[in-house]
Amino acid sequence: MTSFTDLKLDPKVLKAIDAAGYTTPTPIQLGAIPPALEGRDVLGIAQTGTGKTAGFTLPMITMLSKGRARARMPRSLVLAPTRELAAQVAENFDTYAKGSRLTKALLIGGVSFKEQDQLIDRGVDVLIATPGRLIDHFERGKLLLTGVQIMVVDEADRMLDMGFIPDIERIFEMTPFTRQTLFFSATMAPEIERITNKFLSNPERIEVARQNSTSEAIEQILIEHTPRRRDMAAKDKREILRAVIERDGSALRNAIIFCNRKTEVDVVAKSLRKHGYDAEPIHGDLDQSQRTRTLDGFRDGTLRFLVASDVAARGLDIPNVSHVFNFDVPSHAEDYVHRIGRTGRAGKTGIAYTLSTPSDAKYLEAIQHLVGTEIPRGESPWIAPAPKAERDQIEEDAPKRASSRSRSRKKDKPEAAAEPVQDAQDAQADVATTEASVAAPRDNRRDRDSRGEEDRGSRRGGRSRQDNGPKVVGLGDHVPGFIEMSFEERRAEG
Ligand code: AMP
């Protein structure tokens, strides 16, 4: 078996690897390190979690150990799509470059230019940056890329998703033609293929896992749910999410919950917090210090639930994540692979739940096609209250709720203001069901009034046919109250 010592790495790098506790190189490291050390271009098709960061950092440190940086002319450049990923590469660099005298600068948004300028002015061996911030520095005339000998593009497919490809092309053009390029992507979309054909020269191609494969260490479970009404899908999914969290109990050490939109990320995080769970959101609209604080909390185990957008959480190396939830089915099938790959890392097992509604059918099909298997279906631990039982509850509570609501609205103002979207959705749902209850047939009401409390309770899980009179063909059991009423009754109800 090949060991790190067979790889012609700098002795100081070997010492740092030893200190990090690594005994054997991972397949991407075995494939990428030797050609990189020979000065060849490398095209690595690998997902995060495969050890690809060390795959490019270790040879870089070895090659850069000879020579010195000049002011404003970095000797190497690593491009990462997000601030978090760039920061993660910088951390890896610190670990592996221990003992060497190489300098680095991290250029990411949300941090002042002044400090970054000072570092660049002094001269750095390794510049780690997000594309936007790098171009900003370049355009301010503070940076020259003509001294770049090694350029790394990490997570290229994510760059593509984020619209960074024109920036990447521009940056390639700003670096010398003679540079060495180490290029990594989890998938090879046609646009990525085009870029690599254009800018890489006879690269060594290394593919470590089947493209778009999912790890066997991850148990995948699909929870299908038909919402009570279409506009209640998100509310229902929040109920299901909490029910699964409760059901899995202590087996759920921590979880990343992915949503498709930033607003949904905020809503889910706030909703979880409102229900007593320790949750924080992370997405691109939050300021950098908050994002860093949240991630640090999740990494060190003080935060249990991280509610995230794809951009913010993609590629992050967070060990020990027991659960991943796809609160929304991702609209890009590859995102499914990336999301669930946050768990089941480093020899541990993990569970990935996906909550889907009928409107996700198209996306779900694309995912199953991509991963080449059907996602096993699991039971939902949450049962929606039957529409009628819910109506009864609302009607019974109506006078109390009306007054307590107006009181609590005033009293709870800051909390309501802090949760505008959910509040709006929940309120909308409440109003809609109240309307349905107002329109409920008289007979049903009399009927209900004559029934005991016990009976009502036992019907919460399902709707009894006999309550509703003859079923309206085509609407199944979900017959809105007003349809069941005669025209006269509706008029009488006003
Ligand atoms: P990456 O794919 O670069 O995000 O790396 C995933 C994780 O694997 C990181 O936590 C690394 O510290 C770890 N790692 C990288 N190389 C090795 C190795 N040869 N042996 C054990 N762990 C490693």
Side-chain angles (χ1 to χ4, degrees), residues 250-263:
S250 60
L252 192 155
R253 192 174 42 250
N254 57 1
I256 305 181
I257 300 157
F258 285 97
C259 304
N260 288 356
R261 288 182 309 275
K262 292 178 224 171
T263 47

Side-chain angles (χ1 to χ4, degrees), residues 4 22 24-26 29 47-54 96 317 345:
F4 279 110
Y22 305 167
T24 40
T26 66
Q29 292 162 1
Q47 298 174 14
T48 47
T50 54
K52 69 180 164 60
T53 318
Y96 307 134
D317 177 37
R345 290 162 87 88

Side-chain angles (χ1 to χ4, degrees), residues 186-259:
T187 55
M188 285 302 285
E191 185 66 357
I192 303 284
E193 196 91 50
R194 183 187 70 76
I195 294 279
T196 56
N197 290 339
K198 186 169 171 190
F199 294 106
L200 271 63
S201 159
N202 186 29
E204 175 81 22
R205 188 182 164 115
I206 304 129
E207 191 163 347
V208 294
R210 188 168 65 83
Q211 213 168 317
N212 303 322
S213 62
T214 49
S215 160
E216 278 165 17
I218 306 166
E219 184 185 357
Q220 301 173 60
I221 300 170
L222 180 72
I223 297 183
E224 292 175 305
H225 174 72
T226 302
R228 292 170 277 176
R229 282 199 325 265
R230 220 183 141 150
D231 61 352
M232 286 177 89
K235 190 175 192 311
D236 284 4
K237 287 197 289 181
R238 294 197 293 271
E239 301 267 11
I240 295 171
L241 174 66
R242 293 197 301 273
V244 175
I245 291 170
E246 285 306 309
R247 184 188 63 188
D248 284 12
S250 60
L252 192 155
R253 192 174 42 250
N254 57 1
I256 305 181
I257 300 157
F258 285 97
C259 304

Side-chain angles (χ1 to χ4, degrees), residues 334-392:
E334 311 85 57
D335 283 339
Y336 177 80
V337 180
H338 292 293
R339 286 180 180 187
I340 73 167
R342 305 301 93 223
T343 183
R345 290 162 87 88
K348 300 212 167 66
T349 55
I351 300 182
Y353 286 104
T354 300
L355 312 186
S356 84
T357 61
S359 61
D360 298 317
K362 190 176 74 184
Y363 299 133
L364 199 57
E365 200 184 307
I367 290 166
Q368 297 188 135
H369 181 73
L370 182 76
V371 299
T373 165
E374 182 147 302
I375 306 171
R377 268 60 177 167
E379 284 254 328
S380 169
W382 182 71
I383 299 161
K388 183 156 187 317
E390 200 176 43
R391 285 206 302 265
D392 293 350

